[in-house]
Amino acid sequence: MDGTPRTSIISTPVLEAADRLGADFVAAEPFPHAVIDEFLAPAFARRLLAEFPGFEQGNFIGDDGQPGGKSTSDKVRQLGPAYRELDDAIRSREFLQLLSRLTGIESLIYDPWYLGGGTHENREGMSLDPHVDFNFHPSERWHRRLNLIIYLNPVWDAQWGGNFGLFRDPHSSPRPDVSIAPSF
């Protein structure tokens, strides 16, 4: 580690507003969450975008064994220097303590396997049905308390659809309680 604070990848306004953002997180409906525009420092976000893996570099084979329209990579450290810096930050005590301030969730830990995480790219026409993520890590039995989702798409048109939806109960309503347009 080079001595750089691991929260240096976070934008200054987020660091300055951490306590207010934490209060917003706890009070959010339909369940605690936060939408934080420009979470990452802009220069760092641009580095991640520049190093984002090509579609064919990830796992783009579907459950049926055929190439599909979604590609994922959970080997974050292998994607380039910016992704190694991201991984170093995410695993640091300083970063996890900041996330605790932003969420009120104490004793957060890092998942070195990025189970269900890493980079994700969906091609046009792909969708993801509303669902509830697993809450216990299948091998470690850790209680999964938080997902951190960072969008690196520099352009988004609302007419494309594909907003991120939060549902109180995805099985009882066809419409999300909260709809979030992905923004860089």
Side-chain angles (χ1 to χ4, degrees), residues 36-169:
I36 304 174
D37 293 328
E38 298 180 14
F39 178 75
L40 296 175
F44 184 70
R46 287 190 298 275
R47 287 179 51 215
L48 289 172
L49 178 61
E51 293 179 16
F52 197 88
F55 192 86
E56 288 75 19
Q57 278 183 267
N59 177 12
F60 59 94
I61 304 301
D63 292 338
D64 61 0
Q66 300 299 312
K70 177 180 182 174
S71 179
T72 64
S73 178
D74 59 5
K75 306 288 188 256
V76 172
R77 291 193 70 79
Q78 297 174 11
L79 299 177
Y83 284 89
R84 282 190 295 279
E85 188 175 342
L86 176 67
D87 184 61
D88 287 342
I90 290 172
R91 68 175 60 214
S92 75
R93 168 176 268 160
E94 186 179 25
F95 187 87
L96 293 170
Q97 287 173 340
L98 173 65
L99 287 183
S100 288
R101 279 183 65 200
L102 292 171
T103 64
I105 302 170
E106 296 297 327
S107 303
L108 290 169
I109 58 175
Y110 160 81
D111 178 2
W113 299 283
Y114 286 88
L115 191 65
T119 64
H120 291 241
E121 179 181 359
N122 285 358
R123 289 196 164 156
E124 183 177 348
M126 292 302 299
S127 65
L128 180 62
D129 291 334
H131 64 280
V132 176
D133 282 345
F134 68 85
N135 63 349
F136 283 97
H137 194 284
S139 64
E140 303 303 315
R141 301 308 296 161
W142 296 326
H143 186 194
R144 185 180 193 179
R145 303 280 313 277
L146 184 66
N147 287 335
L148 178 63
I149 301 171
I150 298 173
Y151 286 95
L152 294 174
N153 50 296
V155 177
W156 190 263
D157 185 329
Q159 294 178 353
W160 296 341
N163 282 3
F164 182 65
L166 300 177
F167 294 77
R168 180 175 312 282
D169 178 353

